[in-house]
């Protein structure tokens, strides 16, 4: 009996940990283990259907989320036409909490796997293989001849028995982000989140976690994201894992954690000083700094403590911090969100993730939606359109702010220009609002901009600001440009010597053996023309690395980059 577990990720760089757990947990008990098909929502529907049919599964199970549920429905309906006898089911957060309604509305499906699926799928496939009755299994909602039946829930899984989800050699798309969980559940009750439904937290034994992490480290995976909802709910346990990762650091792998900053102890903060830059990356949910909003969503933020801890970690210069805000929450109007945005922006996180409230099935806010007057889309991802405090016109304006933050702040390509700008400007939110207003007014929201166009638009907007020294700003923006890509030609807004003159000076510099040995000792190439294609040398009218007024020349080495893609840069002296 052929079984296919189908994952449709939002992007290729993502990987689906759920289907891997299901496969690994069930495989030892089956004569014919399930296959995995992992694609993205960007693949054509016809292509995905063809790939399913080529495998012709007797049992087809979809991993279902808000970003893929519409495609899942359509694929199930089409595959039902091709294989009327197949058993088609779905699991995941988008179908678990209204499973009965989902089955009634989608006749192509025969069952829903609710909640954790490992035990349920193992029992389902074992029963199907042996010919036993699977309709009565716990954790299932099943279609019967005349009705839909919701079976009792499956007992919570003991995480000590959870297998390592990936192949040890990582032959399955090694360039993808790898997800991992060391615990399930969350101690908090944030009403916008599904984790608040679970009671308590279950953790895998540390010896199992350490053994699993060693596999990632040996494979030198680029990034591992822990999906634990609050990784440091247990401060002592979190510190033990962080110490293990520091002591076994391979110099390459980055580990991402969702944490609550206020739970970090002084001992842990002191420990963070000792870790390699880019070993850890933290995501910290702020969501709002409006006390009334935080009370409504049962979010317990100690804002002064959070600020102090985020600033202390930032002072170490070795850990990237991502801070989250959510627009559309109860009692948060445009002015209130303006304040929340500036509060968080002042902390200068490496990323500021501005999202919009999604009414997730089963969440507290889905039950209190009418109470708070939250009007959301009827289709995925069920984003809030407007609230009593935030009209749709304000939501649209915040969408433009979000787009500008993504393009210019979170991209990491404008770090130095933005840092200099906000040494001159007082209100970051108004800056991004005005930038977004122009972006929409000029019609860029409806077109795909190239990177060159994004830089040119940003430069044109910023140099007309009355508070800005346009010459100094241009130098910092030029630094950001050169850090990420070798200029094939100087953009129109660049300043400095003629490109042809600069090329001759750079070639003279690279012809000198002492320069190659000093600046590029790791390069086997000695031909100046070859080296010129691998590095970039650019003069600046001010020292953009220190802020000093003297002119400098910088050499950008594109073979040596940090985690964010910045080239290694050093001062150089060009011949006249």
């Amino acid at each position: 009996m052929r079984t296919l577990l189908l994952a449709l990720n939002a992007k290729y760089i993502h990987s689906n940990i759920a289907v891997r757990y299901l496969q690994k947990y069930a495989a030892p008990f089956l004569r014919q283990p399930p296959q995995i098909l992992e694609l993205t929502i960007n693949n054509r529907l016809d292509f995905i259907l063809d790939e399913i049919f080529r495998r012709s599964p007797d049992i087809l199970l979809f991993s279902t989320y808000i970003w893929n549920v519409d495609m899942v429905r359509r694929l199930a309906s089409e595959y039902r036409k091709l294989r009327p006898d197949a058993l088609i089911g779905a699991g995941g957060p988008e179908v678990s909490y209204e499973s009965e309604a989902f089955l009634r509305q989608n006749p192509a499906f025969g069952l829903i796997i609710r909640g954790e699926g490992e035990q349920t799928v193992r029992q389902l496939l074992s029963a199907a293989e042996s010919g036993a009755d699977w309709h009565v299994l716990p954790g299932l909602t099943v279609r019967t001849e005349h009705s839909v039946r919701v079976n009792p829930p499956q007992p919570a899984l003991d995480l000590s028995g959870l297998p390592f989800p990936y192949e040890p050699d990582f032959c399955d798309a090694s360039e993808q982000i790898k997800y991992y969980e060391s615990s399930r559940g969350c101690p908090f009750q944030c009403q916008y989140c599904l984790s608040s439904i679970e009671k308590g937290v279950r953790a895998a034994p540390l010896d199992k976690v350490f053994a699993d992490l060693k596999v990632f480290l040996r494979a030198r995976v680029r990034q591992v994201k822990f999906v634990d909802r609050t990784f440091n709910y247990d401060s002592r346990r979190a510190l033990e894992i962080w110490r293990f990762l520091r002591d076994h650091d391979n110099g390459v792998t980055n580990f991402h954690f969702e944490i609550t900053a206020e739970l970090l102890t002084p001992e842990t903060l002191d420990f963070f000083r000792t870790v390699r830059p880019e070993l850890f990356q933290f995501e910290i949910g702020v969501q709002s700094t409006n006390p009334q909003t935080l009370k409504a969503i049962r979010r317990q933020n100690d804002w002064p403590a959070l600020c102090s801890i985020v600033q202390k970690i930032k002072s170490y210069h070795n850990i990237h911090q991502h801070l989250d805000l959510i627009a559309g929450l109860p009692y948060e109007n445009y002015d209130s969100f303006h304040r929340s945005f500036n509060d968080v922006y002042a902390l200068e996180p490496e990323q500021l993730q501005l999202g919009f409230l999604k009414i997730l099935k089963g969440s507290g806010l889905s039950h209190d939606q009418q109470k708070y007057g939250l009007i959301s889309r009827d289709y995925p991802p069920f984003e809030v359109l407007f609230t009593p405090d935030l009209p749709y016109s304000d939501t649209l304006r915040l969408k433009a702010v979000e787009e500008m933050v993504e393009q210019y702040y979170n991209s990491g390509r404008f770090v130095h220009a933005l840092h200099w700008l906000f040494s001159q400007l007082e209100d970051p939110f108004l800056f991004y609002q005005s930038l977004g207003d122009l972006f929409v007014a000029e019609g860029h929201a409806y077109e795909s901009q190239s990177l060159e166009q994004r830089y040119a638009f940003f430069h044109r907007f910023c140099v007309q600001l009355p508070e800005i020294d346009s010459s100094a700003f241009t130098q910092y923006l030029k630094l950001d440009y050169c850090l990420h890509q070798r200029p094939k030609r100087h953009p129109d807004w660049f300043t400095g010597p003629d490109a042809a003159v600069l090329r001759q000076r750079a070639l003279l510099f690279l012809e000198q053996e002492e320069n190659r040995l000093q600046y590029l000792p790791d390069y086997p190439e000695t031909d100046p023309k070859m080296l010129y294609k691998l590095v970039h040398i650019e003069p600046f009218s001010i020292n953009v690395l220190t802020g000093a007024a003297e002119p400098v020349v910088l050499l950008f080495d594109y073979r040596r980059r940090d985690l964010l893609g910045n080239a290694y840069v050093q001062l150089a002296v060009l011949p006249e």
Side-chain angles (χ1 to χ4, degrees):
M1 180 167 290
R2 293 182 299 273
T3 301
L4 183 65
L5 307 174
L6 181 59
L8 298 174
N9 301 327
K11 298 179 181 178
Y12 175 76
I13 195 64
H14 299 166
S15 60
N16 186 297
I17 193 174
V19 292
R20 289 174 168 83
Y21 274 138
L22 296 179
Q23 182 196 52
K24 290 294 187 70
Y25 197 78
F29 296 84
L30 301 172
R31 293 190 298 274
Q32 191 170 358
Q35 287 184 291
I36 290 175
L37 176 59
E38 189 170 15
L39 298 170
T40 79
I41 58 174
N42 300 309
N43 292 118
R44 289 183 301 106
L45 191 78
D46 288 348
F47 170 79
I48 300 172
L49 184 63
D50 291 349
E51 290 302 303
I52 296 172
F53 185 74
R54 291 183 206 284
R55 292 156 179 80
S56 195
D58 305 297
I59 301 176
L60 175 61
L61 301 177
F62 291 92
S63 181
T64 313
Y65 300 87
I66 54 175
W67 62 79
N68 69 13
V69 63
D70 282 344
M71 187 172 276
V72 164
R73 287 191 184 103
R74 294 169 67 189
L75 287 166
S77 179
E78 296 305 312
Y79 190 65
R80 171 65 65 212
K81 298 172 186 175
L82 300 173
R83 283 289 309 273
D85 59 325
L87 176 59
I88 302 177
E94 188 52 33
V95 296
S96 283
Y97 299 99
E98 294 182 5
S99 58
E100 186 175 358
F102 186 88
L103 281 188
R104 294 187 186 281
Q105 295 163 8
N106 297 277
F109 291 88
L111 62 88
I112 297 297
I113 300 153
R114 305 192 314 275
E116 290 180 314
E118 288 88 1
Q119 294 185 83
T120 307
V121 168
R122 176 197 284 182
Q123 293 168 3
L124 169 67
L125 300 185
S126 296
E129 211 172 61
S130 66
D133 183 14
W134 52 264
H135 295 80
V136 296
L137 291 173
L140 289 180
T141 298
V142 299
R143 184 183 304 283
T144 63
E145 186 176 355
H146 302 293
S147 183
V148 170
R149 183 174 67 229
V150 181
N151 294 345
Q154 187 76 247
L157 184 67
D158 180 356
L159 299 189
S160 63
L162 200 60
F164 183 73
Y166 300 96
E167 297 300 323
D169 60 0
F170 287 93
C171 60
D172 53 342
S174 59
E175 68 274 19
Q176 289 182 325
I177 296 168
K178 299 303 178 186
Y179 295 90
Y180 180 74
E181 61 181 345
S182 70
S183 65
R184 289 181 178 176
C186 183
F188 301 110
Q189 294 184 318
C190 305
Q191 294 299 284
Y192 52 83
C193 179
L194 291 178
S195 295
S196 63
I197 299 170
E198 299 184 44
K199 305 299 181 185
V201 183
R202 287 166 290 138
L206 282 179
D207 57 350
K208 176 191 179 320
V209 174
F210 294 156
D212 289 347
L213 294 177
K214 282 181 179 178
V215 183
F216 289 122
L217 291 164
R218 282 195 298 268
R220 299 173 71 82
V221 171
R222 183 164 178 78
Q223 185 175 55
V224 177
K225 280 196 173 185
F226 277 68
V227 295
D228 303 44
R229 299 310 301 165
T230 304
F231 177 77
N232 63 325
Y233 75 95
D234 180 333
S235 298
R236 176 55 51 188
R237 182 176 184 275
L239 183 55
E240 287 192 57
I241 294 174
W242 282 327
R243 279 185 173 144
F244 175 87
L245 293 174
R246 180 201 61 182
D247 295 345
H248 294 80
D249 180 21
N250 61 14
V252 174
T253 306
N254 166 263
F255 293 89
H256 177 105
F257 306 89
E258 292 187 33
I259 67 168
T260 296
E262 303 94 306
L263 297 181
L264 295 172
T265 64
E267 180 186 10
T268 300
L269 290 170
D270 286 341
F271 161 78
F272 287 154
R273 297 176 185 270
T274 69
V275 304
R276 168 179 64 85
E278 301 173 3
L279 176 60
F280 296 153
Q281 186 170 290
F282 294 155
E283 184 171 344
I284 300 169
V286 178
Q287 319 316 358
S288 173
T289 59
N290 181 329
Q292 188 180 13
T293 297
L294 293 172
K295 183 178 180 180
I297 63 174
R298 301 187 193 177
R299 182 79 184 176
Q300 301 172 8
N301 281 0
D302 183 339
W303 179 243
L306 187 150
C307 290
S308 174
I309 289 167
V310 168
Q311 290 168 332
K312 181 169 286 190
I313 294 173
K314 187 169 183 65
S315 72
Y316 301 159
H317 302 291
N318 62 349
I319 295 174
H320 290 277
Q321 298 181 94
H322 299 182
L323 271 57
D324 299 345
L325 284 173
I326 299 177
L329 292 169
Y331 307 123
E332 182 108 84
N333 61 22
Y334 195 82
D335 290 339
S336 170
F337 190 84
H338 180 163
R339 289 191 294 273
S340 292
F341 183 98
N342 282 347
D343 287 342
V344 173
Y345 200 94
L347 297 177
E348 298 183 313
E350 278 66 33
Q351 286 211 340
L352 197 171
Q353 297 177 346
L354 196 173
F356 288 78
L357 178 63
K358 298 173 179 61
I359 305 297
L360 303 177
K361 292 181 176 64
S363 67
L365 285 183
S366 71
H367 297 296
D368 290 337
Q369 188 170 357
Q370 289 188 334
K371 171 184 173 182
Y372 293 118
L374 308 176
I375 307 302
S376 63
R377 302 182 191 276
D378 290 333
Y379 53 87
F382 309 111
E383 277 188 355
V384 163
L385 294 168
F386 62 91
T387 75
D389 304 287
L390 191 76
Y392 187 55
S393 57
D394 286 349
T395 303
L396 280 180
R397 208 171 189 193
L398 289 179
K399 285 283 185 181
V401 172
E402 177 198 28
E403 181 65 22
M404 296 302 93
V405 170
E406 282 299 309
Q407 287 196 19
Y408 295 105
Y409 189 91
N410 290 342
S411 68
R413 289 179 173 272
F414 301 82
V415 170
H416 299 87
L418 286 169
H419 187 269
W420 184 85
L421 274 172
F422 290 110
S423 68
Q424 316 294 310
L425 303 176
E426 294 184 356
D427 194 316
F429 182 84
L430 290 182
F431 170 83
Y432 287 104
Q433 174 188 277
S434 299
L435 186 66
D437 288 345
L438 181 64
F439 186 81
V440 172
E442 292 188 351
H444 301 306
Y446 308 101
E447 62 186 20
S448 178
Q449 278 192 313
S450 69
L451 188 59
E452 298 287 346
Q453 289 171 322
R454 274 197 278 163
Y455 274 100
F457 172 77
F458 190 66
H459 181 265
R460 177 163 56 86
F461 173 81
C462 292
V463 296
Q464 55 79 39
L465 295 172
E467 310 96 320
I468 294 305
D469 177 345
S470 61
S471 176
F473 165 75
T474 299
Q475 297 302 298
Y476 286 99
L477 187 61
K478 186 166 71 166
L479 170 64
D480 284 323
Y481 185 98
C482 293
L483 280 170
H484 284 273
Q485 64 273 316
R486 182 181 179 278
K488 295 179 180 178
R489 65 171 187 83
H490 277 185
D492 293 340
W493 54 268
F494 260 41
T495 59
D498 177 78
V501 173
L502 182 59
R503 181 178 186 276
Q504 291 304 315
R505 294 176 64 193
L507 287 172
L508 286 173
F509 173 87
L510 294 170
E511 284 175 357
Q512 302 300 313
E513 183 178 4
E514 61 269 26
N515 288 338
R516 296 196 300 271
L517 291 174
Q518 178 181 348
Y519 295 99
L520 304 167
D522 298 329
Y523 280 70
E525 298 87 352
T526 57
D527 180 1
K529 291 183 179 179
M530 179 65 71
L531 284 174
Y532 182 75
K533 296 178 180 179
L534 301 173
V535 301
H536 181 67
I537 300 174
E538 182 71 33
F540 292 80
S541 61
I542 59 176
N543 190 331
V544 288
L545 301 181
T546 66
E550 78 270 15
V552 296
V553 175
L554 299 182
L555 185 150
F556 298 86
D557 184 349
Y558 298 104
R559 282 191 179 177
R560 301 169 65 185
R561 294 180 183 266
D562 62 19
L563 187 68
L564 299 179
N566 294 293
Y568 179 73
V569 62
Q570 51 190 319
L571 291 168
V573 179
L574 281 182
E576 295 297 331

